[in-house]
Amino acid sequence: MSTSPVPPPRPTAGPPRTATVPVEGELDHESCGELLRAVAAHLAARPRVDVVRVDCGDMSLCDSTGLSALLQVRRDVDAAGRRLLLDRRPAHLERLLRLTGTADYLLTDRPD
């Protein structure tokens, strides 16, 4: 069971046109909606953001619905004309992305 794996966005020390959404704990069927809402809030509230970073460093698990949420985040960010980066990916997420063939889609820049 996951508990609030997507804490509120935190200020970043990076470039000013970047929004970071941290993911903590499990990204699963109970929590993926929080990630989608957090990214949507960034896209709506911060139209000058060029890059959305999902910080996966504290993610303890990503199941199939979590992967589906990451794919939806990619589609949403692409549709908004922004760039998505998945930062600090833990080994289990790397393995999932490679096994499912989604790494190329999620980890590369969108075509212009």
Side-chain angles (χ1 to χ4, degrees), residues 23 27 32-33 35-36 39 43 54 56 59 62-80 82 84-86 93 96-108 110:
V23 176
L27 185 59
C32 59
L35 174 63
L36 295 174
V39 171
L43 294 175
V54 176
C56 305
M59 178 190 294
C62 181
D63 71 2
S64 61
T65 54
L67 178 59
S68 178
L70 291 174
L71 293 168
Q72 183 62 52
V73 165
R74 176 62 193 254
R75 289 189 291 271
D76 293 346
V77 170
D78 284 354
R82 319 289 170 67
L84 174 67
L85 297 174
L86 301 181
L93 180 59
L96 179 64
L97 298 180
R98 305 285 174 211
L99 286 173
T100 59
T102 56
D104 288 344
Y105 177 68
L106 284 170
L107 304 179
T108 59
R110 63 183 160 77

Side-chain angles (χ1 to χ4, degrees), residues 6-9 19-21 33-49 52 73 76-77 80 82:
V6 184
T20 299
V21 179
E34 293 176 57
L35 174 63
L36 295 174
R37 285 188 291 276
V39 171
H42 273 301
L43 294 175
R46 302 176 69 184
R48 297 183 58 108
V49 167
V52 175
V73 165
D76 293 346
V77 170
R82 319 289 170 67

